Amino acid sequence: MLLALFTANVIHAQFACPEMLGNQTSTTTIHFKINSGACANYSQNIFVTYQGTGITFSKSSCNGTDLFYVSTSGALSDPDDFVVSFPGRGTCQYINGTLATLSDDEVSFNDKVSVYPNPLLKGDIITVKFKSNLSANFEIYNVAGKLISKDFVSNQSSKEISTKNLTNGIYLLKISTDEASTTRKIIIMK
C-alpha cells in the first residue's frame, strides 16, 4: 500500500499524526483532530491508500483543531481503514477509525509503496513513492499479461512514469526490489 513508517507521536522529528474523527469521516471527506502543531503545518494535498488504491485528497478547511480533506480523485472503500502520506512530513495509518502504531518490521512492502493518481487520464504521470530511498524495477503489463514497458530507479524515494504511450484500459504495475514485490492495478481513462 503506501509508504509506511508508522508511529503515533513522531514520524519525522516534529510531526505528530493527527487523530481521525471516524464518525465524521466519509468515503470522500476525512476529518482529523490536530493535537499538536497548526493548520499551516499540514499539506494542501495528502495521498491516501487502501488495499493498494491511491486517492488524492485536498485540504478543504482547517480551524484550530479541526482539519478537513476532500477527495479529488475517487472514494475510499472504507472510511475507517487507510494509510495517509503527508508529503514531506510523514505517513500515518488508521484502523477502525483510530490512529495505529506499527514498527517498520511489521509493515509489508505493499504498505511502503504509494501509487497515485489512480485512475488517471491518458498522458498523465503515475507517481510511485517509497518510504525511503531504494532501488526498484517497474514493469507495466496489459490485462493479457503482455509486458508493455520496463523501467527502474536506483537509490531513490520516488519515480514518475509517463502513460503517454498507453491506451485507455486496465494495466498492472509490478514494482520489485531484491527483497520484495507488489503489483498494483492502474486504470487509464480518456
Side-chain angles (χ1 to χ4, degrees), residues 39-40 42-46 56-61 68-70 87:
C39 292
Y42 291 88
S43 309
Q44 180 61 34
N45 292 311
I46 59 174
T56 302
F57 280 74
S58 288
K59 189 188 300 183
S60 63
S61 67
F68 292 89
Y69 283 91
V70 176

Side-chain angles (χ1 to χ4, degrees), residues 131-145:
K131 171 185 87 77
S132 60
N133 285 3
L134 55 80
S135 298
N137 292 306
F138 302 90
E139 298 172 332
I140 297 178
Y141 295 88
N142 65 17
V143 291

